[in-house]
Amino acid sequence: MIPLMSEYRDKTRVDEILTAIRDISRKQVTFMEVCGGHTMAIHKSGIPSLLPSTIKLLSGPGCPVCVTSKYFIDEAAALARMDNTIITTFGDLIRVPGSLTSLSREKADGRDIRMVYSPLDALAAAKENPDKNVIFLGIGFETTAPSSAAAVLEAETLKLDNFYILSAHKVMPPAMSALIDGGVKINGYICPGHVSTITGSRIYKPLVEKYRIGCVVSGFEPLDILQTIFLLVKQCETDTPELENQYTRAVQDNGNRKALSLMNKVFERSDDWWRGLGIIPDSGLQLKKQYIKHDAHRVFEINFEKGPEEEAGCRCGDVLKGTISPPECPLFSRVCTPGNPVGACMVSSEGACAAWFRYSGEAKP
Amino acid sequence: MCLSIPAEIISIEENGRALVSVGGTRYKASLILVDNVKPGDFILLHSGYAIGKIDPERAYETLHLMEGIKRKADDTTHE
Amino acid sequence: MKGIITMDHGSGYGRTSELIESLFLASFSGTGLSDQGDSAILSIGSDHIAFTTDSFVIKPVFFPGGDIGKLAVCGTVNDLAVSGAHPRYLSCGFILEEGLPLEDLERIVASMAQTAQAGGVKIVTGDTKVVEKGSCDKLYINTAGIGTIREEYTHITNAEKVKPGDVIIINGTIAEHGLAVLSFRNSFENSIISDCTPLSGLIEKCLESGADIRFMRDATRGGIAAVLSELAVKTKTGIELFENAIPIRDEVAGLCEMLGFDPLYVANEGKVLMAVSEKEAGKVLSVLHNHPDGKNSSIMGTVTEKHPGSIVLNTSIGGRRIVDIPAGTQLPRIC
């Protein structure tokens, strides 16, 4: 049996690496994780309570739910109100407030909104309901976009013309550059492991070269994350920013070529709007022309009402950019809670604010 | 983001699907995004799709990275 | 009140609590309801009785390890038993959907009879209504139950004797009911079965041991986190949990990872949490370990005067984090 999970949670190994980190850490450094999965893993295992005070971790815009426009939800809701339409979505989006409504609210009003674990389930729904439009809400970065692409191609093969995607898929590197261009002060990136499984670790090379910032591709277990932090601290202490790959068991330099080629076959880059960050050139993925008949946005061209995009006082943009920590936002935990999220970062359980709210706080012995 | 979990390939079926085991739970995953996998291999499962293979040798190496890291730590403190 | 009912109002915590506080408690004040225990403890003359009710809606009605009938009896029997009561009599009300196969109903009723016997209760009164096809999903069952309770146990349900230093005991592995049902619904093949079982016998043995049990609650919807969070808030104490001491089967933990669930919030139907004085913990554990439904019992936490109102989990790698109550039911996520 190969080591998969529990081995990377072994306390003895964790203690060893923590000692090694404490031994070499002198400079005050800030690292940013740009993957919500890392945010969750870091808080869930209590890593912040174990690190020396020289190391600060910030959460970047790595939660796809958090960076997706509220109007995406409004548009999905408007599509759900069409006759003979089934909306299929990952559970992540169900509670996310749009500017005027949410999918859970629409579901309570009787719309056919179904939670799925996989785009494969959405395809199955399209097969079973040939008389209905089945729309899959495509969110996520490079990890998830190939699955959506594969679903579109399978729909083509099976001639499922009633299968559509409403795409909010995005790609990571342009946002990582935009953050630094926008003045975010960090000493290294904890790079997203599963995005890199698809893209390969080499996509971060330009970041290292252009900004002289350390980039370490990381796995998701406590030992992975701590090894990554160690490597970044080492780079900072010796002033040698470079690209390293801690997650070698799942990430290669060139990534997963097959998945990339399917993704590029179906999707093309477009400028995209990120909640908190604004428009980032070439950071979105939309369906290519030859697959336009599966593009819910362009086929239905649905009109929908829009409320305000952001609430007054909400500082999600600054949280996503890493310029403040969640508790520094005036709304955090007073007005904005996981039960009543105001901003994007509180909406998803892996959002920076939600993770902070749920897992950190006053956890002193 | 991107919750992906290690799963073992139990058997390969038609239509590019495989029966995989996620810590004991059997699930039908799509293999369309990966090449050259066989029963006994470990893959990363994400939203119903295998998105990559897990390299067993590297998995062991990572666990034992500590020995290497200790050396690195010694190097740094002695600089 | 504005808005409409959404599924989160049925999660068992968060929105459910809001609804209870702002509507039900506000409207039905001046009764035993305000204690919000699992049962109301009532006095008739010098005798004390525990009284409770619960409704059961589950899709599918048959699932690995049980069915809606077994669940309906266990739910009410357990609510009485964890209140320190000796469960005696149950009522049951059926709402049946037009078109339900009689064979299914027969199976469910047989299961109820069997579970009632195992739980030591008699079903003594009932009601049946039929609604048009589409007005309900196969069938809904409501059960209410009464039990007798000795004076010295009446404090158990309201946790008034819980003190810092007490230990938290659980009678076995967590998160099995929720994941068994979810697996069945999603055709995930595994060997996870619901832990649905009447706890009256096990609890009676614990009480008979004479150990100083200061609080009991069965961890159902919302999992062990919901119960402990309520306990922390109510007693104004803190709870320290030890991740390594929380019993969970590998298969369950693995499926939680795949779905992005935290097992602390997943439903159980045969798990009781007890707060016991530290010196009597051994006594309770030995009783539990000798019972078929308590073999995997464990001391998984302690009550502390620090961080009143919150639960802190000591993670397996030695970290610490707060365990909070989510707003609604956990949904499978990919992010």
Side-chain angles (χ1 to χ4, degrees):
Chain A
M1 188 71 184
I2 71 170
L4 293 173
M5 273 153 59
S6 59
E7 294 84 352
Y8 301 95
R9 297 174 187 180
D10 178 70
K11 185 151 189 318
T12 316
R13 290 193 176 101
V14 163
D15 286 344
E16 274 179 338
I17 190 91
L18 281 167
T19 307
I21 291 173
R22 278 189 215 107
D23 282 350
I24 63 162
S25 179
R26 300 284 174 272
K27 295 181 187 167
Q28 202 66 43
V29 289
T30 304
F31 304 134
M32 176 181 271
E33 83 274 357
V34 283
C35 172
H38 280 145
T39 308
M40 280 289 272
I42 286 167
H43 288 283
K44 205 172 166 193
S45 55
I47 285 177
S49 67
L50 297 170
L51 291 175
S53 57
T54 42
I55 301 168
K56 188 178 170 193
L57 298 181
L58 279 179
S59 305
C63 152
V65 169
C66 303
V67 295
T68 298
S69 164
K70 279 186 178 180
Y71 300 146
F72 179 78
I73 298 294
D74 295 320
E75 184 173 0
L79 290 168
R81 287 184 219 120
M82 299 191 308
D83 289 339
N84 294 319
T85 300
I86 300 170
I87 298 286
T88 54
T89 174
F90 294 131
D92 310 52
L93 281 175
I94 292 279
R95 289 197 188 93
V96 178
S99 73
L100 291 172
T101 182
S102 72
L103 295 174
S104 71
R105 166 78 208 221
E106 295 293 323
K107 188 165 174 283
D109 276 343
R111 318 294 171 211
D112 194 346
I113 295 169
R114 304 182 186 181
M115 221 180 326
V116 293
Y117 171 69
S118 165
L120 296 169
D121 304 331
L123 277 178
K127 215 182 290 180
E128 282 162 26
N129 299 279
D131 306 335
K132 293 188 174 180
N133 307 311
V134 174
I135 301 172
F136 176 69
L137 305 184
I139 53 158
F141 300 113
E142 291 95 328
T143 320
T144 319
S147 317
S148 290
V152 169
L153 294 173
E154 197 165 334
E156 284 279 282
T157 313
L158 299 172
K159 301 205 170 16
L160 294 173
D161 289 344
N162 61 331
F163 177 80
Y164 305 91
I165 285 195
L166 185 67
S167 172
H169 286 301
K170 291 179 170 51
V171 291
M172 206 72 238
M176 292 170 78
S177 295
L179 282 170
I180 302 185
D181 288 337
V184 172
K185 297 275 179 288
I186 51 171
N187 304 90
Y189 270 126
I190 298 173
C191 297
H194 294 139
V195 161
S196 311
T197 299
I198 301 291
T199 62
S201 52
R202 62 175 180 175
I203 59 162
Y204 311 107
K205 196 94 198 163
L207 283 171
V208 176
E209 282 161 6
K210 185 169 173 197
Y211 302 104
R212 273 191 51 80
I213 184 169
C215 285
V216 179
V217 177
S218 179
F220 292 83
E221 297 299 333
L223 194 65
D224 291 320
I225 294 167
L226 290 169
Q227 284 183 358
T228 298
I229 290 172
F230 174 87
L231 294 170
L232 284 169
V233 169
K234 171 112 198 308
Q235 290 185 16
C236 291
E237 293 296 329
T238 55
D239 201 23
T240 49
E242 57 179 326
L243 170 61
E244 290 185 88
N245 180 9
Q246 181 279 334
Y247 200 28
T248 50
R249 65 185 183 278
V251 175
Q252 294 168 359
D253 292 352
N254 294 325
N256 178 343
R257 299 227 171 167
K258 192 174 181 195
L260 276 175
S261 78
L262 289 183
M263 183 173 100
N264 293 330
K265 188 172 177 188
V266 173
F267 290 108
E268 62 190 1
R269 297 283 191 101
S270 61
D271 295 352
D272 205 354
W273 191 88
W274 295 53
R275 230 176 139 176
L277 301 177
I279 288 177
I280 303 179
D282 274 342
S283 65
L285 292 173
Q286 65 173 1
L287 286 159
K288 281 186 175 167
K289 264 219 177 80
Q290 59 263 48
Y291 301 104
I292 206 167
K293 67 173 182 205
H294 296 290
D295 186 338
H297 180 70
R298 283 180 281 183
V299 169
F300 299 109
E301 291 184 320
I302 193 105
N303 286 314
F304 56 93
E305 265 185 89
K306 291 179 180 178
E309 173 69 43
E310 292 303 341
E311 303 282 337
C314 171
R315 294 193 64 190
C316 271
D318 295 325
V319 171
L320 286 169
K321 278 184 276 199
T323 51
I324 64 166
S325 289
E328 294 172 57
C329 170
L331 305 187
F332 180 79
S333 89
R334 283 175 277 276
V335 184
C336 180
T337 62
N340 184 26
V342 176
C345 312
M346 190 62 91
V347 161
S348 160
S349 59
E350 61 155 20
C353 294
W356 196 289
F357 187 95
R358 285 186 60 195
Y359 293 133
S360 296
E362 296 297 313
K364 300 273 181 287
Chain B
M1 77 147 266
C2 311
L3 196 73
S4 311
I5 180 163
E8 183 180 4
I9 297 190
I10 303 296
S11 60
I12 294 187
E13 308 185 350
E14 320 165 347
N15 308 326
R17 304 280 204 271
L19 192 63
V20 302
S21 167
V22 184
T25 291
R26 307 265 167 131
Y27 180 81
K28 262 206 198 124
S30 168
L31 293 181
I32 196 156
L33 300 178
V34 289
D35 272 326
N36 302 324
V37 288
K38 56 182 188 309
D41 284 351
F42 284 83
I43 52 111
L44 274 172
L45 178 68
H46 172 75
S47 73
Y49 289 79
I51 59 161
K53 267 205 276 191
I54 296 175
D55 182 332
E57 265 174 53
R58 302 285 188 178
Y60 283 109
E61 269 174 35
T62 306
L63 272 192
H64 299 289
L65 195 72
M66 261 325 289
E67 284 101 52
I69 278 182
K70 259 189 196 151
R71 279 196 299 278
K72 278 191 183 181
D74 291 345
D75 294 350
T76 314
T77 38
H78 294 154
E79 261 162 21
Chain C
M1 290 172 92
K2 283 206 171 123
I4 55 174
I5 292 290
T6 65
M7 292 308 287
D8 284 341
H9 287 105
S11 63
Y13 43 90
R15 293 262 189 272
T16 311
S17 311
E18 283 171 32
L19 192 66
I20 291 173
E21 311 237 328
S22 63
L23 181 62
F24 298 132
L25 279 183
S27 310
F28 307 142
S29 61
T31 65
L33 195 61
S34 54
D35 275 344
Q36 285 201 61
D38 267 356
S39 305
I41 307 296
L42 308 168
S43 301
I44 298 175
S46 59
D47 295 332
H48 300 289
I49 63 164
F51 179 38
T52 190
T53 185
D54 209 336
S55 299
F56 298 84
V57 295
I58 187 165
K59 191 154 65 178
V61 293
F62 300 101
F63 50 85
D67 56 71
I68 190 172
K70 183 178 181 187
L71 203 60
V73 174
C74 290
T76 293
V77 165
N78 292 348
D79 279 351
L80 291 170
V82 297
S83 306
H86 178 60
R88 302 292 290 272
Y89 301 108
L90 255 53
S91 73
C92 65
F94 291 95
I95 295 172
L96 308 174
E97 185 189 17
E98 182 185 27
L100 176 75
L102 274 167
E103 223 171 66
D104 286 359
L105 185 60
E106 211 175 346
R107 245 177 97 187
I108 289 162
V109 169
S111 162
M112 290 179 80
Q114 200 185 355
T115 313
Q117 197 179 10
V121 291
K122 290 198 164 68
I123 297 173
V124 291
T125 181
D127 175 53
T128 307
K129 296 282 185 295
V130 178
V131 296
E132 280 175 359
K133 193 157 188 71
S135 296
C136 93
D137 193 353
K138 293 198 168 65
L139 79 163
Y140 302 148
I141 303 177
N142 170 276
T143 54
I146 54 174
T148 47
I149 180 166
R150 282 159 53 177
E151 171 83 38
E152 65 262 37
Y153 299 147
T154 52
H155 64 85
I156 289 177
T157 194
N158 60 30
E160 66 192 26
K161 295 200 173 162
V162 172
K163 288 185 194 62
D166 290 354
V167 300
I168 306 286
I169 297 177
I170 185 158
N171 66 314
T173 47
I174 63 165
E176 285 159 16
H177 175 73
L179 290 191
V181 172
L182 184 138
S183 295
F184 194 73
R185 263 187 223 158
N186 290 281
S187 317
F188 297 156
E189 278 174 50
N190 54 40
S191 61
I192 303 171
I193 59 169
S194 168
D195 59 340
C196 176
T197 198
L199 292 166
S200 41
L202 173 127
I203 287 171
E204 203 162 308
K205 286 222 158 56
C206 291
L207 290 172
E208 276 169 7
S209 76
D212 184 12
I213 296 173
R214 293 172 172 172
F215 170 75
M216 283 192 283
R217 182 66 52 90
D218 56 337
T220 55
R221 282 177 308 178
I224 61 174
V227 170
L228 293 176
S229 162
E230 241 184 88
L231 179 66
V233 169
K234 193 164 190 175
T235 57
K236 299 187 178 68
T237 58
I239 311 265
E240 291 273 323
L241 287 182
F242 305 97
E243 193 171 41
N244 286 336
I246 301 174
I248 182 163
R249 289 178 53 210
D250 287 348
E251 206 174 6
V252 172
L255 186 55
C256 281
E257 297 274 351
M258 171 173 149
L259 299 167
F261 281 7
D262 188 333
L264 301 181
Y265 303 117
V266 178
N268 308 276
E269 286 294 344
K271 290 297 155 332
V272 54
L273 293 168
M274 300 180 181
V276 181
S277 69
E278 196 188 358
K279 66 176 191 339
E280 308 241 323
K283 205 192 269 182
V284 176
L285 270 184
S286 76
V287 174
L288 287 170
H289 284 150
N290 282 313
H291 193 281
D293 294 323
K295 276 187 280 204
N296 296 313
S297 297
S298 164
I299 296 179
M300 60 166 200
T302 55
V303 179
T304 168
E305 54 215 347
K306 289 169 194 154
H307 51 82
S310 345
I311 310 170
V312 171
L313 179 78
N314 293 272
T315 68
S316 57
I317 62 159
R320 291 169 63 77
R321 67 160 165 102
I322 296 254
V323 177
D324 198 53
I325 290 304
T329 323
Q330 294 190 98
L331 305 174
R333 58 189 178 84
I334 55 110
C335 300

